[in-house]
PDB file of all heavy atoms in Angstrom:
ATOM      1  N   SER A  18      74.340  90.857   9.802  1.00 95.00           N
ATOM      2  CA  SER A  18      75.172  90.563  10.972  1.00 95.00           C
ATOM      3  C   SER A  18      74.349  89.954  12.099  1.00 95.00           C
ATOM      4  O   SER A  18      74.780  88.991  12.754  1.00 95.00           O
ATOM      5  CB  SER A  18      75.862  91.847  11.446  1.00 95.00           C
ATOM      6  OG  SER A  18      76.631  91.609  12.603  1.00 95.00           O
ATOM      7  N   ILE A  25      72.132  82.070  11.218  1.00 97.00           N
ATOM      8  CA  ILE A  25      71.256  82.108  10.041  1.00 97.00           C
ATOM      9  C   ILE A  25      72.065  82.637   8.857  1.00 97.00           C
ATOM     10  O   ILE A  25      72.656  83.719   8.931  1.00 97.00           O
ATOM     11  CB  ILE A  25      70.024  83.000  10.286  1.00 97.00           C
ATOM     12  CG1 ILE A  25      69.186  82.417  11.440  1.00 97.00           C
ATOM     13  CG2 ILE A  25      69.183  83.122   9.022  1.00 97.00           C
ATOM     14  CD1 ILE A  25      68.020  83.302  11.848  1.00 97.00           C
ATOM     15  N   ALA A  40      67.559  86.654  -7.046  1.00 96.00           N
ATOM     16  CA  ALA A  40      68.120  85.906  -5.916  1.00 96.00           C
ATOM     17  C   ALA A  40      67.191  84.779  -5.470  1.00 96.00           C
ATOM     18  O   ALA A  40      67.644  83.674  -5.122  1.00 96.00           O
ATOM     19  CB  ALA A  40      68.392  86.856  -4.749  1.00 96.00           C
ATOM     20  N   LEU A  77      56.398  80.805  -0.233  1.00 93.00           N
ATOM     21  CA  LEU A  77      57.687  81.364   0.178  1.00 93.00           C
ATOM     22  C   LEU A  77      57.484  82.307   1.357  1.00 93.00           C
ATOM     23  O   LEU A  77      56.751  83.285   1.256  1.00 93.00           O
ATOM     24  CB  LEU A  77      58.325  82.132  -0.982  1.00 93.00           C
ATOM     25  CG  LEU A  77      59.590  82.933  -0.657  1.00 93.00           C
ATOM     26  CD1 LEU A  77      60.744  82.000  -0.331  1.00 93.00           C
ATOM     27  CD2 LEU A  77      59.953  83.853  -1.830  1.00 93.00           C
ATOM     28  N   LEU A  80      59.060  88.236   5.113  1.00 94.00           N
ATOM     29  CA  LEU A  80      58.969  89.171   6.230  1.00 94.00           C
ATOM     30  C   LEU A  80      59.288  90.561   5.706  1.00 94.00           C
ATOM     31  O   LEU A  80      60.420  90.843   5.304  1.00 94.00           O
ATOM     32  CB  LEU A  80      59.945  88.787   7.342  1.00 94.00           C
ATOM     33  CG  LEU A  80      60.052  89.764   8.527  1.00 94.00           C
ATOM     34  CD1 LEU A  80      58.703  89.944   9.207  1.00 94.00           C
ATOM     35  CD2 LEU A  80      61.102  89.287   9.525  1.00 94.00           C
ATOM     36  N   GLU A  87      52.295 100.293   3.358  1.00 66.00           N
ATOM     37  CA  GLU A  87      51.748 100.486   2.009  1.00 66.00           C
ATOM     38  C   GLU A  87      50.435  99.714   1.937  1.00 66.00           C
ATOM     39  O   GLU A  87      50.417  98.495   1.781  1.00 66.00           O
ATOM     40  CB  GLU A  87      52.735  99.976   0.948  1.00 66.00           C
ATOM     41  CG  GLU A  87      53.994 100.812   0.843  1.00 66.00           C
ATOM     42  CD  GLU A  87      53.705 102.226   0.340  1.00 66.00           C
ATOM     43  OE1 GLU A  87      52.679 102.415  -0.321  1.00 66.00           O
ATOM     44  OE2 GLU A  87      54.516 103.123   0.604  1.00 66.00           O
ATOM     45  N   SER A 128      53.137  83.720  11.445  1.00 84.00           N
ATOM     46  CA  SER A 128      52.950  85.107  11.028  1.00 84.00           C
ATOM     47  C   SER A 128      53.504  86.049  12.088  1.00 84.00           C
ATOM     48  O   SER A 128      53.640  85.685  13.259  1.00 84.00           O
ATOM     49  CB  SER A 128      51.467  85.417  10.790  1.00 84.00           C
ATOM     50  OG  SER A 128      50.734  85.278  11.988  1.00 84.00           O
ATOM     51  N   ASP A 131      52.863  93.466  12.688  1.00 80.00           N
ATOM     52  CA  ASP A 131      52.996  94.557  13.652  1.00 80.00           C
ATOM     53  C   ASP A 131      51.618  95.127  13.995  1.00 80.00           C
ATOM     54  O   ASP A 131      50.820  95.393  13.093  1.00 80.00           O
ATOM     55  CB  ASP A 131      53.871  95.652  13.039  1.00 80.00           C
ATOM     56  CG  ASP A 131      54.352  96.661  14.058  1.00 80.00           C
ATOM     57  OD1 ASP A 131      53.490  97.284  14.716  1.00 80.00           O
ATOM     58  OD2 ASP A 131      55.565  96.831  14.185  1.00 80.00           O
ATOM     59  N   ARG A 141      42.606 102.619   7.054  1.00 59.00           N
ATOM     60  CA  ARG A 141      42.529 102.916   5.639  1.00 59.00           C
ATOM     61  C   ARG A 141      41.336 102.253   4.972  1.00 59.00           C
ATOM     62  O   ARG A 141      40.897 102.669   3.910  1.00 59.00           O
ATOM     63  CB  ARG A 141      43.820 102.469   4.940  1.00 59.00           C
ATOM     64  CG  ARG A 141      45.018 103.318   5.333  1.00 59.00           C
ATOM     65  CD  ARG A 141      46.264 102.905   4.601  1.00 59.00           C
ATOM     66  NE  ARG A 141      47.402 103.704   5.040  1.00 59.00           N
ATOM     67  CZ  ARG A 141      48.575 103.716   4.422  1.00 59.00           C
ATOM     68  NH1 ARG A 141      48.752 102.992   3.350  1.00 59.00           N
ATOM     69  NH2 ARG A 141      49.560 104.450   4.885  1.00 59.00           N
ATOM     70  N   PRO A 145      37.824 107.161   3.596  1.00 74.00           N
ATOM     71  CA  PRO A 145      38.908 108.117   3.860  1.00 74.00           C
ATOM     72  C   PRO A 145      38.420 109.539   4.075  1.00 74.00           C
ATOM     73  O   PRO A 145      39.116 110.347   4.690  1.00 74.00           O
ATOM     74  CB  PRO A 145      39.783 108.013   2.606  1.00 74.00           C
ATOM     75  CG  PRO A 145      38.875 107.478   1.555  1.00 74.00           C
ATOM     76  CD  PRO A 145      37.930 106.556   2.269  1.00 74.00           C
ATOM     77  N   THR A 176      39.714 133.192   1.686  1.00 95.00           N
ATOM     78  CA  THR A 176      40.912 133.639   0.973  1.00 95.00           C
ATOM     79  C   THR A 176      41.551 132.470   0.224  1.00 95.00           C
ATOM     80  O   THR A 176      41.341 131.292   0.561  1.00 95.00           O
ATOM     81  CB  THR A 176      41.951 134.209   1.950  1.00 95.00           C
ATOM     82  OG1 THR A 176      42.428 133.155   2.804  1.00 95.00           O
ATOM     83  CG2 THR A 176      41.346 135.328   2.794  1.00 95.00           C
ATOM     84  N   ILE A 187      44.153 118.255   3.329  1.00 93.00           N
ATOM     85  CA  ILE A 187      43.509 117.137   2.630  1.00 93.00           C
ATOM     86  C   ILE A 187      44.558 116.127   2.169  1.00 93.00           C
ATOM     87  O   ILE A 187      44.415 114.917   2.371  1.00 93.00           O
ATOM     88  CB  ILE A 187      42.693 117.651   1.424  1.00 93.00           C
ATOM     89  CG1 ILE A 187      41.452 118.402   1.908  1.00 93.00           C
ATOM     90  CG2 ILE A 187      42.282 116.498   0.510  1.00 93.00           C
ATOM     91  CD1 ILE A 187      40.748 119.197   0.819  1.00 93.00           C
ATOM     92  N   ALA A 195      54.027 113.916  -1.744  1.00 73.00           N
ATOM     93  CA  ALA A 195      54.499 114.543  -2.980  1.00 73.00           C
ATOM     94  C   ALA A 195      55.254 113.533  -3.826  1.00 73.00           C
ATOM     95  O   ALA A 195      56.046 112.737  -3.325  1.00 73.00           O
ATOM     96  CB  ALA A 195      55.396 115.738  -2.650  1.00 73.00           C
ATOM     97  N   SER A 212      34.889 107.404  -3.102  1.00 73.00           N
ATOM     98  CA  SER A 212      34.170 107.327  -1.829  1.00 73.00           C
ATOM     99  C   SER A 212      32.714 107.726  -1.973  1.00 73.00           C
ATOM    100  O   SER A 212      31.828 107.101  -1.400  1.00 73.00           O
ATOM    101  CB  SER A 212      34.856 108.228  -0.791  1.00 73.00           C
ATOM    102  OG  SER A 212      36.169 107.788  -0.534  1.00 73.00           O
ATOM    103  N   VAL A 215      30.814 104.917  -3.708  1.00 46.00           N
ATOM    104  CA  VAL A 215      30.537 103.794  -2.809  1.00 46.00           C
ATOM    105  C   VAL A 215      29.360 104.116  -1.912  1.00 46.00           C
ATOM    106  O   VAL A 215      28.468 103.286  -1.689  1.00 46.00           O
ATOM    107  CB  VAL A 215      31.796 103.468  -1.966  1.00 46.00           C
ATOM    108  CG1 VAL A 215      31.429 102.484  -0.851  1.00 46.00           C
ATOM    109  CG2 VAL A 215      32.881 102.891  -2.838  1.00 46.00           C
ATOM    110  N   ALA A 217      26.943 106.173  -2.488  1.00 43.00           N
ATOM    111  CA  ALA A 217      25.710 106.236  -3.278  1.00 43.00           C
ATOM    112  C   ALA A 217      25.196 104.837  -3.568  1.00 43.00           C
ATOM    113  O   ALA A 217      23.992 104.629  -3.629  1.00 43.00           O
ATOM    114  CB  ALA A 217      25.988 106.968  -4.595  1.00 43.00           C
TER     115      ALA A 217
END
Side-chain angles (χ1 to χ4, degrees):
S18 178
I25 298 174
L77 172 68
L80 174 59
E87 291 294 336
S128 63
D131 194 302
R141 291 182 182 191
T176 66
I187 289 168
S212 297
V215 169

